[in-house]
Amino acid sequence: MDARTEIAAPPAETAEQAGSSWRKPISERSLGDVFRTVKVAGHASTWRRLAAFFGPGYLVAVGYMDPGNWATSIAGGAKFGYALLFVALLSNIMAIILQSLCARLAIGSGRDLAQACRDGYPQWASFPLWLLAELAIIATDVAEVIGTAIGLNLLFGIPLEIGVLLTALDVFVVLLLQRAGFRYLEAFIITMLIVIAICFAVQIALADPEWGAVIRGFAPTTELVRNPEMLYLALGIIGATVMPHNLYLHSAIVQTRAFGTSTKEKREALKFATIDSTIALCLALLVNASILILAAAAFYKSGNTEVVELGQAQSLLHPLLGSAIAPTLFGIALLCCGLNSTVTATLAGQTVMEGFLQIGLAPWLRRLITRSVALIPAAGVTLLYGEAETAKLLILSQVVLSLQLPFAVVPLVQFTASRSKLGELVSPRWLTVIAAIIALLIIALNAKLTWDYFAG
């Protein structure tokens, strides 16, 4: 089926949607400029059809290894060794389950999460939910601005203040990739991910961690809830892993595939989309765990337990690992992470604004608005305090993301559990129960963090 025909066709309700409890029929498509532009050959082999769905999961995975995650993982590894590896693993399992629900919502209802919230809740709820989603995107952008600026500083000696301003130019990178085609954008993301993985593989080999302690680090510990500082970093890791804007993003970019409209075709699309995101998120876990293992092996082991700054971490790698290439690889991986995160934040911002408010802006304008808002705190901190306080802002941005999570996770679980909204693709009972437990866990951890904060 020709993808362009799919775009031009009227958004007619399917049989299961005709009697649904959505307040309005689908009036616009998610990311309309790329909606169903990637063909899925209906008569091709299973592997070729699976290959057609290969890509969106990696755009989602990018958000799980952004510069903010680096700060929390480095601080956690330096302070507590391998103990927080369990949190990285738990976060990744939560991410796999929630992202599969995003694909289910998109394929089953034809809506992304922002559109579903607008159509499924009273009209007055759209603006506050949009505002919370925007805050999450801005928090993500703050991490990208600082991370990219530090990467430019480490590799090319560009002052942080100038690097922060240069990050506004990354909008042109996104525009060029989008004009080339969505598959080219995905190829760029995957290439950057491969570079990041290679950089960390070499650094881990140089660090030579104690693998027995690494394995034990994936086991849970009660200290996590007894130690407020460990809990704070754990929440930061969760916030940096299960990102609110990623839930909106995935439910939109899954619809770039021109899958069919029958229940059988939708079930196959859901299966392939879930495989794609699961594999991609397992790669994200390897990268996130590598950051924490590197920090534990290089800093915690040598007694440098207070390392939190990305620049400080990079400068210590050379004397601790005994190789001049380690700091360079660290800087390359950091810069790649910043560039990758830029792409996903742009698409997520477009999805959120169009979905909640039905306001369509040119991608470059939408990106400049979000990036301008993020530049204010990032530039202010770097100008007033220099690099010394950037890590605290990075970690805080990730905790803010964690606090925003319930406002995206709860609607996602609610909609995918409703047969009247998803028809035959409604979540199985067991999956809904697990997703609800994840939502409750996130809310409980946030409540504990808030209590510890006000209790001093």
Side-chain angles (χ1 to χ4, degrees), residues 20-32:
S20 73
S21 61
W22 296 110
R23 291 190 300 114
K24 298 178 181 179
I26 301 171
S27 57
E28 71 284 322
R29 295 303 190 179
S30 299
L31 301 176

Side-chain angles (χ1 to χ4, degrees), residues 63-64 90-91 94-95 98-99 102 113 117 121 129 132-133 135-137 139-140 234-248 397-413 435 438-446:
Y64 295 87
L90 177 64
S91 300
M94 294 163 62
L98 294 177
Q99 296 299 163
C102 291
L113 182 56
C117 288
Y121 291 141
L129 285 175
L132 290 169
L135 288 174
I137 293 172
T140 303
L235 267 182
I237 291 175
I238 292 175
T241 304
V242 189
M243 284 188 167
H245 78 281
N246 262 352
L247 303 180
Y248 294 103
S397 72
Q398 304 311 294
V399 175
V400 169
L401 288 174
S402 186
L403 293 173
Q404 301 299 323
L405 263 176
F407 299 99
V409 173
V410 171
L412 177 64
V413 175
I438 291 174
L440 291 173
L441 177 61
I442 291 171
I443 293 171
L445 287 174
N446 285 334

